[in-house]
Amino acid sequence: MKELTKQEIERQDFVDNQIFELMQKLLPSPNMIDWDIEAIGSIRETIREQLVKKKKIINEKQFYPYLKT
């Protein structure tokens, strides 16, 4: 069974963490939010749409590696 490489997992973590940090920074101080992968995934999809589909700057697997099912 194929698995993501360590580098691919690190890329996924990087993207998700950057989105979460951006969400935190956009909130007025001292508000904080809990980790919400559903919200992060929704934002990630919007970013992917812009960078991969519309601007064609990066391919899908480079942006957020995944395994085909």
Side-chain angles (χ1 to χ4, degrees):
M1 182 166 126
K2 183 147 172 64
E3 295 181 5
L4 292 174
T5 66
K6 182 177 187 263
Q7 184 178 7
E8 290 170 328
I9 292 168
E10 287 173 355
R11 175 63 183 181
Q12 286 183 339
D13 289 344
F14 173 78
V15 171
D16 291 341
N17 287 322
Q18 290 297 302
I19 292 168
F20 183 68
E21 284 182 31
L22 175 62
M23 291 169 65
Q24 295 282 33
K25 287 178 181 178
L26 292 172
L27 292 173
S29 261
N31 295 328
M32 298 294 282
I33 58 172
D34 292 328
W35 181 268
D36 181 349
I37 196 63
E38 187 175 335
I40 292 167
S42 178
I43 294 165
R44 183 178 64 232
E45 179 58 27
T46 300
I47 295 169
R48 183 194 66 81
E49 183 70 25
Q50 289 299 313
L51 297 180
V52 175
K53 300 291 183 187
K54 291 187 178 181
K55 306 260 187 237
K56 299 181 189 272
I57 296 170
I58 191 171
N59 74 43
E60 202 159 353
K61 286 196 143 197
Q62 289 171 319
F63 173 66
Y64 198 82
Y66 62 91
L67 297 175
K68 288 188 179 185
T69 55

